[in-house]
Amino acid sequence: MDELTREFLLESYENLDRLDQEFVKLEAEPGNLELLKSIFRTIHTIKGTCGFLGFSKLETLAHAGENLLSMLRDGHLALNSEITTALLAMVDAVREMLGSIDTVGNEGERDDHALVETLARLLKPPVAIKEETPPAKTEEAAKSTEVQPEANIGEILIKRGAAKVIDVYDAVQQQEQGDPRRVGEILVEKGAVKPQELVEALNLQQQARAGGTSDSTIRVEVSQLDRLMNRVGELVLLRNQILQFSNSSEDSGLLATSQRLNLITTELQEGVMKTRMQPIGNIWSKFPRTVRDVAMSCGKTVRIEMEGKETELDKTIIEAIKDPLTHIVRNSVDHGIETPEKRLAAGKPVEGLLSLRAYHEGGQVNIEISDDGAGLDLEKIRKKAVEKGAITAEQSARMTEREAANLIFLPGLSTAEKVTNVSGRGVGMDVVRTNIDKIGGSVDVQSKLGAGSTVRMKIPLTLAIIPALIVTNRGDRYAIPQISLLELVRLEAGEAQKRIESVQGAPVYRLRGRLLPLVYLDRELRPGARVDTAKGPAAVNIVVLQADERQFGLVVDEINDSEEIVVKPLGKQLKGIKSFAGSTIMGDGKVALILDVLGLAQSANVVGGSREHALAKEAGAASQGAQKRTMLLLQCGAEGRMAMELSLVARLEEFKPELIEKAGDQLVVQYRGEIMPLIQIADVLHLAKCESQGKEAGKTQVVVYSEDGRSVGLVVDRILDIVEESFVQQQPAKREGLFGSAVIQQKVTDLLDVHSLIRNAIPGFFDGQPLSQER
Amino acid sequence: MADAQQFCTFFIDEQFFAVPVQQVQEVIRYQEMTSVPLVPPVIRGLINLRGQIVVAFDLRRRLGYPDRPEDQKPMNVVVRADGETVSFLVDEIGDVIEVEETLAEQPPETLRAEMRELVSGVYKLNQGLLLVLDTERTVNGKEISHARP
């Protein structure tokens, strides 16, 4: 393809994109002559150029469109939706032909006779035009926009009648004589121009200049930018290596130079990244047209609102989210927004509203697509999911609303009553999620029946270079993307053995009262290998990570620095391993693997085997209607499995047996300058004593309850877990101190009545009777 | 010479092997490797090849030979196979030789199964037999694609 044709294609594509928007806008304001003119010019240019290049089919079609447009422009015809549809069809046809020229070099085998005829037929007005375009508008438009790019502020002011020629002349003279101020400033200070007028004039000047920027931008091939990005990636790696060398060197010159290299590399990296950034508006700009087409085809009227068009994302990410976004937008219009009749009946405005919102937040971009439609019918979704066998009826009954709403991301679920060509075939939302997952984003839907739904996406800014924490396992380094990192915890050798407990064999750590499941990196990477327990006490490094809204601690040998790493894909042979997300080259030139936090969590069963599984599991734990409660699970006595509301727990403490003293008959312990009475739950409830009560760990586990500054300690045998579940109390209380029993985590659990327990054991506790002299 | 092919030759446990020279990107000395957990033993690790990360396949393990002694460092034959750049770890590098097609024969039936699967042809040379490897099959197959979970 020759240069000329390529240039023509590029230019035409851009123009066509703009046309789509302009047509939709034109429909809203049919009298806008400026828009019509602009559309006419675009089509005219295309027609002219393709005549020149010998694309006759394209020329004929564009010509027919141009004729119709000129009638509209001159006010001989009024725009109606039939004309708009025909013109849009023409734009589509032109686009298709351009595509064909792009790929095979000719216009293709299209037959556009019908379309050309339609366009010609529409030329004859069915009825006489009554509505003339108001001439005043034309004049006004001319006044405000016809500013030459090279116009100076004085000229603009004079043209707008805001300043007198003589004043401007004086001001310019003054400036030439050495006044450093600008002409506008001088005029305002002299009182010759109102500041307000000046601001408007300056805006106009800016617009005019912006319109004339054709010289200050150039087109660059994306592949060129990609190569550049790769090179910068390598430079970043080299920089890291140099920094490592220079840090171990005494040479101050080398240090200074490498610092400078560091700085410049960072700037260069940012600069190149920036060239790859595109405003999300680039893909949004197609949506007004999409929305219009979909709305028309299902007899709805929908307005689209956009906020944060200028939010920038990496080109590759923009590409990756384009289809998912389009799908959601179509879905929202097709299924979300109701027909006008239904909307009226529901007391809503006839016109539906679809709003798009994008904004930066914490190194990520959030994109929200909301509609004010009917919202998701959760009952229907549940039913459908059960029908399809995606979840069981029991799970469905236990799901929270939000979980049920997110079922739409399961494959094969569509609640559309009829399958349209737009959507409803049950493919789509799962693909949306897969695509968003692929680029490391997440997607979530929230909905309110009758009020609409919102799909929310979180998207990373860029994929190429990410900050990561470097950890070591058996001498090998691994990178953990910083985005999943919450905090780092280090347990010293002596402490580690005490603080890491186990719940049915699974190691956990109490992080500020919450049980954090622990995953040993070594065991995950070398399954089957024997764990050398003989290693003796060593410090434990825990990297607290977040995966799929769950936290877990990754135990690693060593935590090194955090570093900017360049993500390189894994070879085909390694792609199947869930635990790795990619590879990178470290400062010393060696290769390190990037851990896939979610994959790691899944293979360690911290989150379910797959998301769906996780969802189902979550759902299985939730029960209908009941609110979720956070419970502390305890073991009291040999077999007593107890639960108490976590909100009643002030602290979890451990005391060495020798610290426990007796005050009269009461077991007490010195705690924060107080004497805290202890209640042995097992004793109070007459439970069988646990054989190894507290002995293995050599300490007594105490749940501290506080009220009015007084504390009491409940002695238990083990803290089992903290769970967030909704459950139904099933059995009435068998004895004092218990509310009854319930099934928590598939096990029968007694619910502790903490208040009555304390009242029984220490009768005066709630009456404010002093328990210790110190108070 | 009509119908001659060029091969990049190398040795594995004294046996003479080769791959078609067009598929070879370069031959380099021993490189430090980063081992990859959870993969079949055939994959020895990852090599940084001037900024490009390539997977290193141990041909001894792939062809069913015993591991090379600890003190013997393997050499890298970097090949393009199945759309990717990978490295074959071999004992020693030989010459690039030109061989007439007429010397080619089908691999003998008596060859060990794992070998027969990967050897696309045998050339009868004066200095012995030359086994030509099918690079594509070498980097695929059930020993490799089914990475252990």
Side-chain angles (χ1 to χ4, degrees):
Chain A
M1 201 188 313
D2 57 87
E3 194 58 32
L4 203 61
T5 315
R6 196 190 307 274
E7 188 78 4
F8 161 67
L9 285 176
L10 271 175
E11 196 182 323
S12 303
Y13 277 140
E14 252 171 43
N15 285 335
L16 286 177
D17 286 349
R18 208 181 54 231
L19 274 190
D20 275 343
Q21 293 174 61
E22 285 178 341
F23 270 122
V24 176
K25 210 164 148 198
L26 191 66
E27 229 182 6
E29 6 174 347
N32 191 331
L33 208 61
E34 278 310 308
L35 271 175
L36 259 178
K37 274 188 190 166
S38 157
I39 293 171
F40 177 80
R41 270 199 302 271
T42 309
I43 293 295
H44 182 77
T45 316
I46 291 178
K47 188 201 82 173
T49 324
C50 59
F52 177 67
L53 291 171
F55 297 122
S56 60
K57 264 194 207 167
L58 192 51
E59 189 189 2
T60 318
L61 184 65
H63 182 71
E66 189 191 353
N67 280 344
L68 190 55
L69 281 165
S70 73
M71 294 291 274
L72 288 167
R73 183 194 55 176
D74 300 338
H76 299 311
L77 266 179
L79 192 72
N80 58 35
S81 75
E82 196 188 358
I83 294 181
T84 314
T85 306
L87 286 172
L88 282 174
M90 176 205 63
V91 172
D92 286 343
V94 170
R95 196 193 303 271
E96 204 171 295
M97 278 193 252
L98 289 174
S100 168
I101 292 171
D102 200 358
T103 48
V104 292
N106 61 43
E107 297 144 293
E109 298 298 313
R110 290 180 56 92
D111 181 19
D112 293 306
H113 275 100
L115 184 54
V116 172
E117 266 165 38
T118 312
L119 290 168
R121 179 174 56 78
L122 289 168
L123 275 179
K124 298 170 193 79
V127 282
I129 305 301
K130 283 167 223 138
E131 216 183 313
E132 274 292 320
T133 35
K137 189 152 189 173
T138 337
E139 232 170 68
E140 195 189 321
K143 180 186 165 192
S144 63
T145 53
E146 276 175 25
V147 174
Q148 297 302 312
E150 60 272 19
N152 58 40
I153 195 73
E155 279 172 25
I156 298 172
L157 285 168
I158 295 166
K159 218 173 196 168
R160 289 174 58 91
K164 290 195 196 98
V165 177
I166 182 73
D167 288 334
V168 174
Y169 179 77
D170 279 352
V172 174
Q173 284 292 317
Q174 211 173 320
Q175 202 184 29
E176 272 170 14
Q177 279 156 22
D179 194 322
R181 293 174 300 172
R182 288 154 176 261
V183 175
E185 283 175 52
I186 300 173
L187 285 170
V188 171
E189 261 167 52
K190 275 169 74 178
V193 173
K194 290 194 201 100
Q196 180 63 30
E197 296 271 9
L198 180 67
V199 170
E200 277 172 26
L202 280 171
N203 280 341
L204 269 180
Q205 191 184 26
Q206 215 135 53
Q207 276 170 22
R209 281 189 186 153
T213 50
S214 58
D215 289 345
S216 63
T217 59
I218 53 164
R219 283 181 212 284
V220 183
E221 293 265 343
V222 177
S223 59
Q224 185 104 13
L225 283 183
D226 286 345
R227 278 198 295 275
L228 193 59
M229 189 68 199
N230 278 340
R231 289 285 158 270
V232 169
E234 313 231 319
L235 183 63
V236 169
L237 295 177
L238 266 178
R239 185 261 324 254
N240 293 351
Q241 291 180 35
I242 296 264
L243 282 183
Q244 220 163 60
F245 283 136
S246 69
N247 282 345
S248 54
S249 154
E250 300 284 303
D251 189 338
S252 64
L254 176 65
L255 268 176
T257 320
S258 60
Q259 280 311 319
R260 181 123 188 81
L261 175 71
N262 183 12
L263 221 75
I264 292 175
T265 310
T266 309
E267 277 169 19
L268 183 63
Q269 183 191 334
E270 278 166 8
V272 173
M273 299 266 249
K274 223 168 162 131
T275 61
R276 294 168 52 93
M277 293 298 229
Q278 286 192 317
I280 196 163
N282 283 11
I283 40 176
W284 281 7
S285 62
K286 296 207 169 53
F287 290 163
R289 166 81 193 272
T290 313
V291 167
R292 177 196 179 273
D293 286 357
V294 178
M296 287 271 283
S297 75
C298 43
K300 300 170 183 175
T301 44
V302 178
R303 184 160 50 94
I304 184 164
E305 270 183 10
M306 300 180 187
E307 192 186 316
K309 259 193 248 189
E310 62 293 334
T311 310
E312 287 190 321
L313 281 164
D314 191 276
K315 164 106 183 146
T316 46
I317 293 181
I318 291 261
E319 289 297 319
I321 61 170
K322 193 161 103 190
D323 289 343
L325 269 183
T326 313
H327 188 88
I328 295 171
V329 166
R330 295 177 80 108
N331 242 355
S332 298
V333 177
D334 196 22
H335 301 317
I337 291 170
E338 317 91 319
T339 54
E341 304 84 65
K342 278 193 191 156
R343 289 184 68 88
L344 272 181
K348 293 186 196 176
V350 173
E351 193 180 46
L353 175 67
L354 182 76
S355 57
L356 302 175
R357 207 167 150 239
Y359 55 98
H360 286 277
E361 191 187 66
Q364 282 186 309
V365 171
N366 291 5
I367 304 170
E368 291 172 11
I369 301 118
S370 340
D371 63 63
D372 66 344
L376 295 169
D377 186 341
L378 297 180
E379 279 320 302
K380 216 149 121 198
I381 294 173
R382 285 179 213 256
K383 240 174 80 189
K384 192 88 180 188
V386 173
E387 253 171 56
K388 293 267 175 190
I391 53 168
T392 66
E394 197 194 356
Q395 285 170 345
S396 130
R398 287 174 173 175
M399 277 192 167
T400 64
E401 290 198 348
R402 192 163 159 194
E403 286 161 356
N406 278 299
L407 284 174
I408 64 166
F409 293 112
L410 292 184
L413 278 190
S414 172
T415 54
E417 267 146 36
K418 51 178 187 266
V419 172
T420 65
N421 65 343
V422 180
S423 36
R425 281 164 298 193
V427 286
M429 286 313 255
D430 61 319
V431 179
V432 166
R433 172 133 96 183
T434 318
N435 286 345
I436 299 298
D437 278 354
K438 243 186 244 164
I439 54 167
S442 64
V443 56
D444 175 59
V445 62
Q446 276 172 7
S447 168
K448 211 168 166 198
L449 197 61
S453 35
T454 300
V455 179
R456 192 169 286 120
M457 295 183 185
K458 279 180 192 287
I459 310 288
L461 278 180
T462 179
L463 300 175
I465 300 180
I466 56 166
L469 178 77
I470 312 298
V471 300
T472 312
N473 181 60
R474 289 186 178 268
D476 288 331
R477 281 167 301 179
Y478 296 91
I480 301 173
Q482 204 103 45
I483 204 144
S484 329
L485 182 68
L486 295 175
E487 61 182 301
L488 302 174
V489 178
R490 183 182 164 86
L491 302 178
E492 289 309 330
E495 217 182 346
Q497 280 187 316
K498 268 191 293 170
R499 303 283 296 274
I500 295 179
E501 297 158 78
S502 105
V503 176
Q504 290 168 345
V508 292
Y509 170 72
R510 279 188 226 172
L511 182 66
R512 289 183 290 274
R514 275 191 74 107
L515 287 188
L516 184 73
L518 293 182
V519 175
Y520 287 82
L521 183 58
D522 192 42
R523 289 179 211 171
E524 289 312 313
L525 296 183
R526 309 183 323 131
R530 239 180 300 122
V531 187
D532 12 298
T533 35
K535 239 192 328 189
V540 171
N541 293 302
I542 304 173
V543 183
V544 184
L545 297 169
Q546 172 112 17
D548 206 11
E549 309 200 348
R550 287 194 201 189
Q551 295 183 8
F552 70 98
L554 186 68
V555 179
V556 298
D557 287 355
E558 239 177 273
I559 293 172
N560 309 27
D561 258 344
S562 63
E563 228 174 85
E564 295 261 291
I565 59 165
V566 179
V567 181
K568 307 232 170 199
L570 283 173
K572 209 159 49 181
Q573 294 79 16
L574 307 182
K575 279 224 171 90
I577 307 171
K578 273 202 290 185
S579 304
F580 305 128
S583 52
T584 189
I585 297 172
M586 303 302 302
D588 58 5
K590 276 178 79 175
V591 179
L593 288 158
I594 303 169
L595 295 178
D596 183 329
V597 172
L598 184 61
L600 204 62
Q602 282 173 352
S603 63
N605 288 324
V606 178
V607 303
S610 69
R611 289 242 202 165
E612 278 66 50
H613 184 59
L615 194 63
K617 231 166 94 184
E618 238 170 65
S623 104
Q624 192 178 23
Q627 224 191 330
K628 274 201 176 179
R629 290 153 78 184
T630 310
M631 306 297 284
L632 179 70
L633 290 185
L634 312 161
Q635 190 191 332
C636 307
E639 271 149 60
R641 190 178 148 90
M642 308 271 170
M644 64 185 280
E645 286 269 2
L646 189 66
S647 56
L648 295 175
V649 178
R651 287 185 70 82
L652 299 176
E653 293 287 352
E654 294 161 352
F655 296 106
K656 287 192 187 134
E658 58 264 33
L659 291 179
I660 297 174
E661 299 163 74
K662 268 200 167 179
D665 281 343
Q666 184 66 54
L667 284 176
V668 294
V669 69
Q670 294 182 27
Y671 180 63
R672 300 189 167 185
E674 271 185 45
I675 296 174
M676 178 167 76
L678 295 177
I679 304 174
Q680 297 265 12
I681 294 189
D683 287 353
V684 174
L685 296 176
H686 311 293
L687 298 170
K689 272 261 168 57
C690 183
E691 296 282 316
S692 58
Q693 180 190 344
K695 267 171 204 144
E696 47 178 343
K699 66 213 161 186
T700 305
Q701 303 282 348
V702 174
V703 178
V704 180
Y705 172 87
S706 290
E707 178 147 331
D708 278 344
R710 290 186 316 260
S711 302
V712 56
L714 306 173
V715 180
V716 300
D717 289 290
R718 269 170 74 200
I719 308 283
L720 295 175
D721 201 352
I722 292 172
V723 292
E724 204 176 299
E725 278 195 19
S726 39
F727 49 84
V728 184
Q729 183 185 321
Q730 282 167 344
Q731 284 201 320
K734 288 173 287 197
R735 52 177 93 114
E736 197 113 11
L738 293 178
F739 285 122
S741 315
V743 176
I744 300 179
Q745 284 187 333
Q746 285 97 45
K747 280 191 183 164
V748 177
T749 308
D750 286 332
L751 302 175
L752 275 182
D753 182 350
V754 176
H755 287 124
S756 92
L757 201 73
I758 296 172
R759 209 174 295 121
N760 277 349
I762 311 165
F765 185 77
F766 290 104
D767 308 333
Q769 219 167 287
L771 285 157
S772 56
Q773 283 77 18
E774 280 93 336
R775 263 198 89 245
Chain B
M1 225 188 325
D3 288 335
Q5 257 208 325
Q6 284 194 317
F7 289 105
C8 175
T9 63
F10 47 85
F11 294 89
I12 297 166
D13 201 18
E14 316 271 293
Q15 171 63 51
F16 203 28
F17 281 96
V19 287
V21 81
Q22 303 94 316
Q23 295 175 19
V24 177
Q25 182 180 315
E26 59 191 301
V27 172
I28 45 174
R29 60 180 167 76
Y30 173 74
Q31 300 283 308
E32 252 192 276
M33 277 179 287
T34 301
S35 63
V36 185
L38 308 170
V39 291
V42 173
I43 296 176
R44 283 305 282 268
L46 297 172
I47 294 174
N48 170 14
L49 188 70
R50 296 183 305 279
Q52 188 186 8
I53 296 174
V54 298
V55 178
F57 287 84
D58 192 332
L59 287 197
R60 268 186 178 250
R61 289 185 181 174
R62 186 72 180 100
L63 295 167
Y65 285 100
D67 277 2
R68 64 183 65 77
E70 283 282 319
D71 56 333
Q72 193 187 338
K73 297 276 189 222
M75 303 284 280
N76 292 278
V77 180
V78 181
V79 296
R80 302 231 10 118
D82 202 13
E84 297 214 0
T85 305
V86 298
S87 170
F88 287 165
L89 299 182
V90 302
D91 292 0
E92 228 177 294
I93 307 285
D95 292 326
V96 172
I97 58 168
E98 201 163 63
V99 184
E100 270 181 82
E101 274 306 308
T102 51
L103 296 175
E105 288 218 16
Q106 286 296 309
E109 294 297 312
T110 47
L111 224 52
R112 269 179 292 132
E114 59 255 68
M115 198 95 117
R116 204 167 52 226
E117 191 192 329
L118 304 179
V119 172
S120 61
V122 178
Y123 289 80
K124 300 160 290 183
L125 305 183
N126 290 338
Q127 60 266 50
L129 289 182
L130 175 70
L131 303 183
V132 175
L133 291 180
D134 182 318
T135 53
E136 199 140 313
R137 268 183 260 158
T138 307
V139 299
N140 287 304
K142 60 180 190 302
E143 293 87 347
I144 290 157
S145 57
H146 290 283
R148 284 188 217 137

